[in-house]
Amino acid sequence: MSRSRKDPRTERATHRVEGSIRPRFDLAAAPAATGRPRRDRRAEERLALVPGTVRRRLDRTQRVAAVGALPAPTTPAVETPPRLRTIPEPACLVAVVPDAPGGRLTPHDRQLFGAARLLADANGGAVLALVESWSDELAIAGADRVLPIPASGYDPEAKALALLSVLDGLAVRHVLFPESADGGDLARRLAALSGEALFAGAESLSAKAVTRAAQGRRIEQRRAPPRLISLATDAVAPHAGTLHEALPVEFAFPEPTAGAILSAEYIPADPAKVSLAEADFVTSAGNGVTDFEVFRALVAALGATPGASRMVCDAGLMPRAAQVGASGTVLEARCYFALGIAGAPQHLQGVARCEHVVAVNTDLHAAMIERAGLAIVADAQEVMPALLRLIAEEKRG
Amino acid sequence: MRIAVLLSAGRHRVSAHPAPVPVELQAIRLAAELGGEAFGLHAGPAIGPLHDTLGHGLPRLTHLRLAENDDPAPSLADALREGAFDLVLAGRSGQGGEDAGLLPYALARTLGLPIVADAVALAEGPQPGTLRVEQALPRGARRRLVIRLPALVTVHPAAPAPLPFAFAAARRGDVETRPGIAAACAPSEMEERPYRPRPKLIAKAAGGASAAERLKAATESASGGGKLLVEPTPDNAARAILAHLREIGVLA
Ligand SMILES: Cc1cc2nc3c(=O)[nH]c(=O)nc-3n(C[C@H](O)[C@H](O)[C@H](O)COP(=O)(O)OP(=O)(O)OC[C@H]3O[C@@H](n4cnc5c(N)ncnc54)[C@H](O)[C@@H]3O)c2cc1C
């Protein structure tokens, strides 16, 4: 209790405005320096005031919302470009075999590069990306070298053989695969071909140890990182900070031989039938939607999977299987389009893993509007037919 | 067509009691619906709860008896070679053992069979000696393959649910037990300890973030700083939405 006592008289005296006969005090000005820090609630409130709203609105999180027509002018690019880091003579190589469907890296692939950087930096090595084609994303993701592997159609065995020749031909210390449908398959093929042990589905990774779950998630296995590792999703953070060279590497691959797969045909998911958990694009209706005929037509026209908030499911307007959220389905979708949904925490939990969110709501302050990448404050009943009209127009002409 | 279904000694997902692995029961259903003779094959110390697989549509089961901690791969490879099967079905990964899903690949390699992963449906191919396989891909997509037999196919959990258990069928089915090939497992460098769930990576939330910050990171837009349109005309709103959906690539 060594706090000095407050002296109201001297405190008041510091507020005295000089130059007038009658004593005047400006108590709102400059916080009195009494040695004891005090919060100035008025100044804080002035800072938190959101400009441009009719209703007085305070944003205590200090993130001044951009309320206006289109996005607020973003600060001109004062960001310094990431530093380029070159590794001219690596001691070893850490290879990464991303899925990269259609040549674009998935978030899981980026995490793979993060893990590879971790292993490479610990051993003075470089990260080698084994991809089907070079792209400039690889430099940002953290690849020092890029080796395009020949691929024609779906033939994982041929790809595994090509990888085997890389494993034998170059000083590759580790090969990292994503533990996904195609990546996991390829990893196991390479493990069988090379006779190396595969550490399947690593859930944590450092330069010293990797761990995975076994025996139905009852046992954790742990060892020093072996040569072949497949990595589970969301185990390692993606690489950030430095830019890498992504230099193309030359390598002579053996001639591929015909495999046992006679034909392969890709069948895209039927959005109307696929379950919510598997869906890629979900369009969802909340309590703000009244016309469900139009909603269903819109879902079909967009090629989306229908979803709903709990209010709508409770009312029996949509089946229970369509409920998104904590007590419904947690989505893995890439894009979520919310019509007339307030964005209760229980609902937002179901959307947490969605990369892109689009929201239409009449309430500017709805949580869904804040969560959305494109937020539209408008009546859903008017936007839905407009969307249908526009899609129909585009189809015709 | 002679079909072998590889069965492993699983453990129940929740209770950890010995139980058949669900995806292998689904494989039995795929074999039953494809037609032909189905044979179950298990290598291990005891058959235990795998007796139940007979009730799920498998007429006969061969048990290759091994000592505890023996490697099942040589025994299985030998039995598969001897049985001259057209098709070998296995689960995607076991549940209760190593759970790495490596055994089918190792078997395919020793037998020189082609392997296809993650089947959800099987049908006769266009020519004799071929098989049409529907393969599960993420997000509900599928890939339809035609492969030459003999082949090894692993089954995905998205395949149709197992046939319901029938007690009479389980009584009727026969189990043949014969000694397997003793082969010690390669010594493992693994260190084992009780499983501890690891925190999943949450984007943006730093290690020591407060609960409020973590909730915000979990519920806030990943792309950050979105566009906001206030009271646009419905047509402008529709145009903005379509343009945005095209930009992120969910709409053709
Ligand atoms: C234990 C528990 C678990 C729960 N689990 C879930 C769950 O899993 N999933 C879930 O969804 N909910 C869940 N809830 C319910 C949740 O708390 C909310 O009540 C629910 O999500 C609200 O749904 P809503 O947004 O559709 O409705 P409301 O809260 O009524 O919101 C309607 C929104 O639509 C807007 N609106 C109104 N008219 C229009 C219009 N014409 N055009 C555009 N917008 C308009 C309004 O501004 C408002 O924002 C749970 C609740 C509890 C207690």
Side-chain angles (χ1 to χ4, degrees):
Chain A
M1 299 292 122
S2 56
R3 198 199 283 161
S4 58
R5 254 186 95 176
K6 229 169 131 177
D7 182 355
R9 267 176 225 281
T10 49
E11 251 175 41
R12 198 172 167 81
T14 57
H15 284 287
R16 172 136 193 194
V17 181
E18 299 297 329
S20 61
I21 306 156
R22 268 171 56 199
R24 265 188 66 213
F25 299 94
D26 183 3
L27 297 182
T34 51
R36 196 173 137 225
R38 284 192 67 184
R39 289 177 65 187
D40 183 351
R41 302 203 182 257
R42 283 209 187 83
E44 272 172 19
E45 217 168 84
R46 242 179 284 129
L47 270 178
L49 196 65
V50 176
T53 49
V54 183
R55 224 165 8 138
R56 180 177 149 82
R57 193 176 158 225
L58 298 178
D59 181 2
R60 305 253 182 220
T61 56
Q62 300 286 306
R63 293 173 312 115
V64 178
V67 179
L70 269 164
T74 44
T75 41
V78 282
E79 273 176 41
T80 47
R83 192 169 55 84
L84 180 73
R85 201 177 133 209
T86 56
I87 300 176
E89 273 170 23
C92 62
L93 290 171
V94 176
V96 173
V97 190
D99 277 340
R104 285 180 61 178
L105 295 182
T106 62
H108 194 177
D109 291 340
R110 290 178 190 281
Q111 294 166 6
L112 214 58
F113 277 102
R117 281 250 63 93
L118 215 81
L119 291 175
D121 291 344
N123 299 308
V127 173
L128 170 72
L130 298 166
V131 288
E132 283 177 16
S133 60
W134 191 90
S135 80
D136 49 4
E137 271 185 314
L138 295 169
I140 303 162
D144 299 302
R145 309 278 187 275
V146 178
L147 176 53
I149 35 179
S152 56
Y154 176 72
D155 192 354
E157 197 62 29
K159 201 168 169 188
L161 281 169
L163 291 180
L164 182 67
S165 62
V166 174
L167 206 62
D168 292 340
L170 298 176
V172 178
R173 188 173 167 130
H174 302 286
V175 189
L176 294 175
F177 296 89
E179 182 65 24
S180 58
D182 282 347
D185 179 46
L186 200 59
R188 287 169 177 82
R189 281 176 199 272
L190 185 59
L193 277 175
S194 64
E196 301 258 0
L198 168 72
F199 198 82
E203 292 186 347
S204 79
L205 181 143
S206 68
K208 287 211 190 77
V210 278
T211 66
R212 67 181 291 268
Q215 303 194 4
R217 304 201 153 264
R218 273 187 185 77
I219 295 283
E220 181 180 272
Q221 295 182 324
R222 179 190 178 86
R223 63 166 292 179
R227 209 159 173 210
L228 305 183
I229 302 172
S230 74
L231 194 68
T233 49
D234 292 346
V236 183
H239 168 72
T242 51
L243 193 66
H244 290 258
E245 297 168 287
L247 279 183
V249 179
E250 294 288 316
F251 189 79
F253 284 101
E255 275 301 301
T257 49
I261 293 177
L262 304 176
S263 78
E265 177 196 357
Y266 178 79
I267 308 163
D270 178 1
K273 288 210 196 97
V274 63
S275 74
L276 268 184
E278 273 189 308
D280 186 35
F281 174 28
V282 177
T283 298
S284 209
N287 216 7
V289 172
T290 49
D291 193 345
F292 279 83
E293 286 306 312
V294 176
F295 171 70
R296 271 185 267 272
L298 177 65
V299 169
L302 287 173
T305 308
S309 79
R310 177 155 168 186
M311 295 294 265
V312 171
C313 293
D314 281 354
L317 295 165
M318 290 283 284
R320 181 63 72 194
Q323 181 177 324
V324 172
S327 48
T329 309
V330 176
L331 301 182
E332 294 284 333
R334 196 150 42 109
C335 180
Y336 185 67
F337 181 13
L339 289 154
I341 294 182
Q346 294 93 351
H347 189 85
L348 286 183
Q349 275 173 38
V351 195
R353 296 182 57 89
C354 296
E355 202 178 330
H356 304 282
V357 174
V358 180
V360 177
N361 199 313
T362 43
D363 180 6
L364 172 62
H365 304 311
M368 205 72 216
I369 291 279
E370 190 185 350
R371 167 71 174 80
L374 172 64
I376 294 185
V377 179
D379 192 336
Q381 257 59 246
E382 287 166 15
V383 174
M384 287 195 299
L387 267 171
L388 275 176
R389 238 180 295 128
L390 195 61
I391 294 172
E393 254 171 48
E394 282 178 4
K395 274 221 182 94
R396 253 183 280 122
Chain B
M1 192 189 287
R2 283 167 65 82
I3 307 173
V5 182
L6 303 185
L7 301 169
S8 64
R11 286 189 172 270
H12 191 267
R13 194 171 51 86
V14 178
S15 69
H17 281 299
V21 180
V23 71
E24 293 168 357
L25 298 180
Q26 292 175 302
I28 294 174
R29 174 175 189 164
L30 289 186
E33 289 180 354
L34 189 59
E37 282 180 287
F39 298 80
L41 208 53
H42 171 68
I47 192 152
L50 289 184
H51 209 102
D52 285 358
T53 57
L54 295 170
H56 286 284
L58 192 68
R60 54 198 91 69
L61 174 58
T62 306
H63 173 211
L64 307 167
R65 206 177 331 97
L66 294 177
E68 198 78 37
N69 296 331
D70 263 3
D71 184 6
S75 314
L76 289 175
D78 187 61
L80 289 177
R81 205 176 283 127
E82 192 184 303
F85 294 102
D86 299 304
L87 178 63
V88 184
L89 294 180
R92 180 174 211 263
S93 79
Q95 184 176 306
E98 191 84 349
D99 300 357
L102 273 170
L103 182 79
Y105 290 85
L107 279 180
R109 177 90 189 121
T110 34
L111 296 173
L113 292 180
I115 179 164
V116 170
D118 293 344
V120 288
L122 302 175
E124 300 265 351
Q127 293 107 33
T130 60
L131 182 74
R132 213 188 277 279
V133 181
E134 199 163 298
Q135 198 181 29
L137 296 179
R139 302 204 186 286
R142 300 282 184 256
R143 194 188 277 134
R144 200 167 288 154
L145 304 173
V146 177
I147 57 170
R148 202 177 303 119
L149 292 176
L152 201 156
V153 174
T154 68
V155 176
H156 191 270
L163 293 172
F165 179 80
F167 182 72
R171 286 292 300 265
R172 225 174 16 244
D174 41 286
V175 180
E176 181 201 341
T177 303
R178 46 178 214 243
I181 302 169
C185 275
S188 147
E189 293 168 42
M190 299 280 194
E191 192 187 313
E192 294 194 343
R193 51 171 79 173
Y195 183 70
R196 176 167 64 92
R198 290 186 180 266
K200 284 243 173 182
L201 190 83
I202 301 177
K204 293 203 293 184
S210 70
E213 280 164 355
R214 272 184 279 124
L215 179 69
K216 224 169 71 186
T219 52
E220 221 177 39
S221 168
S223 47
K227 280 194 242 175
L228 178 65
L229 300 184
V230 181
E231 302 286 344
T233 63
D235 284 313
N236 280 349
R239 232 165 272 133
I241 292 171
L242 284 191
H244 186 76
L245 293 180
R246 295 231 160 81
E247 196 182 310
I248 59 186
V250 290
L251 208 63

